Amino acid sequence: MFGIIGLGGVGMLLAYFLNNAGYVPYVVTRTRYGRYLIKFGGGEYEVRVRLVDKLPSDVKYTLIAVKAYDTESIIDKVVNIPVVFQNGIGGVELIRERLGVGYGAVITYGVTRSGGVAEVRGGVGEVILPSSVGEVADALKAGGANVRVVNDIEPYRWLKVIVNAAINPVTAILRARNGVILEDSNAKALAVAVVKEGVEVVSRLGIKLPSDPLAETLRIAETTRNNYSSMLQDVLNRRRTEVDYINGGHSD
Ligand SMILES: NC(=O)c1ccc[n+]([C@@H]2O[C@H](COP(=O)([O-])OP(=O)(O)OC[C@H]3O[C@@H](n4cnc5c(N)ncnc54)[C@H](OP(=O)(O)O)[C@@H]3O)[C@@H](O)[C@H]2O)c1
């Protein structure tokens, strides 16, 4: 019933929850490793998947966990209903434009990955899904995920984009931990300006955010103050960032 495209940090976490719910998902990924392990809540678990070149046609939901900039490369691999677990704006929109269907999801678990080994860090995360894909929500919940189902996912996607847009690039440019947003007045002013711009964008789109984005940005900066943002980690590791989808994202 479930297929996954992209077996990185998020893909492994989704597969882990599905394993716990009794599913062994079909997975299409790029670099294959001999085994997949996930460290979560003090334990270490083998992630069981069926690696394939092409998802079988009886897959009902394709869970997409590639980086936003890789979305184009996987469109022809999607089977039936795509559910996109990405940060930023642009990936789901591209899928909807090409396939006529596509649901966004928000994931706030923090997962780092090296090869076939993933580690879930930080406090309890959450997976927010639209009610239209209730079967996905039920399966992930049965597997132990902290799941919230909402009628409209767009306000939640945009809230996360605004927070990411305010914290990630500022910390990446300054090569500083997330706490710099609270400690350095110039960094804070920049983050506040980004939040204001984001609020302007969502208001023009007619989207009502579920909570105050500035308070949320400062809250996340506080709870993750000792962390390096994913964008900073990408910069330090000379990997491509998702900045074009987070700060440059657009929605028609
Ligand atoms: N990690 C987190 O904590 C977290 C939390 C919330 C949201 N997100 C978002 O979730 C998305 C995925 O992030 P991630 O951290 O899981 O990234 P990741 O660890 O880099 O995983 C991406 C996976 O997609 C694979 N891939 C790339 N192109 C592909 C293709 N054409 N066909 C099949 N597989 C392909 C990659 O293969 P290779 O191994 O060959 O690169 C990799 O396995 C991003 O949008 C990110 O912003 C991440």
Side-chain angles (χ1 to χ4, degrees):
M1 164 128 129
F2 298 103
I4 297 176
I5 304 181
L7 199 56
V10 168
M12 272 194 262
L13 181 63
L14 294 171
Y16 164 77
F17 288 135
L18 290 174
N19 287 169
N20 289 344
Y23 299 97
V24 179
Y26 289 99
V27 172
V28 172
T29 196
R30 190 167 53 190
T31 312
R32 292 186 179 192
Y33 300 95
R35 64 193 294 228
Y36 292 91
L37 290 176
I38 190 162
K39 297 176 187 176
F40 189 3
E44 187 173 300
Y45 309 91
E46 177 124 27
V47 177
R48 287 169 295 119
V49 294
R50 289 184 264 202
L51 290 177
V52 289
D53 292 329
K54 196 171 173 288
L55 295 176
S57 56
D58 61 349
V59 158
K60 185 165 177 190
Y61 297 99
T62 300
L63 313 184
I64 297 170
V66 300
K67 292 273 174 64
Y69 50 74
D70 281 323
T71 311
E72 177 85 54
S73 71
I74 59 91
I75 289 187
D76 61 349
K77 298 183 167 87
V78 173
V79 171
N80 287 319
I81 305 169
V83 187
V84 184
F85 294 80
Q86 283 175 349
N87 282 328
I89 297 294
V92 190
E93 287 71 14
L94 181 67
I95 291 209
R96 275 191 207 128
E97 185 187 308
R98 295 288 179 78
L99 303 178
V101 59
Y103 297 96
V106 171
I107 182 155
T108 67
Y109 284 90
V111 196
T112 54
R113 175 190 65 114
S114 177
V117 180
E119 183 170 0
V120 183
R121 293 195 176 149
V124 180
E126 193 178 31
V127 182
I128 312 177
L129 284 156
S131 48
S132 357
V133 293
E135 284 177 314
V136 178
D138 289 346
L140 295 176
K141 203 170 180 175
N146 181 27
V147 175
R148 184 160 31 139
V149 176
V150 295
N151 289 331
D152 182 7
I153 192 74
E154 294 308 307
Y156 296 87
R157 287 183 64 213
W158 277 94
L159 179 64
K160 187 155 192 230
V161 167
I162 293 176
V163 171
N164 285 340
I167 297 178
N168 287 13
V170 177
T171 55
I173 290 164
L174 296 175
R175 305 284 196 275
R177 294 174 198 266
N178 291 355
V180 74
I181 303 290
L182 307 167
E183 291 148 13
D184 181 296
S185 60
N186 290 321
K188 186 172 180 178
L190 202 49
V192 169
V194 174
V195 171
K196 276 193 182 151
E197 189 181 326
V199 169
E200 177 78 25
V201 173
V202 290
S203 77
R204 288 195 195 187
L205 289 170
I207 291 170
K208 194 175 173 314
L209 295 172
S211 62
D212 175 50
L214 182 56
E216 190 64 8
T217 300
L218 299 178
R219 187 185 70 79
I220 302 281
E222 175 64 49
T223 54
T224 63
R225 69 185 308 145
N226 292 321
N227 297 3
Y228 291 113
S229 70
S230 58
M231 194 177 286
L232 174 53
Q233 289 177 43
D234 285 341
V235 168
L236 294 176
N237 289 301
R238 299 182 176 276
R239 290 187 298 248
R240 184 173 172 186
T241 73
E242 291 181 299
V243 68
D244 291 339
Y245 295 83
I246 293 172
N247 291 71
H250 63 90
S251 173
D252 298 324

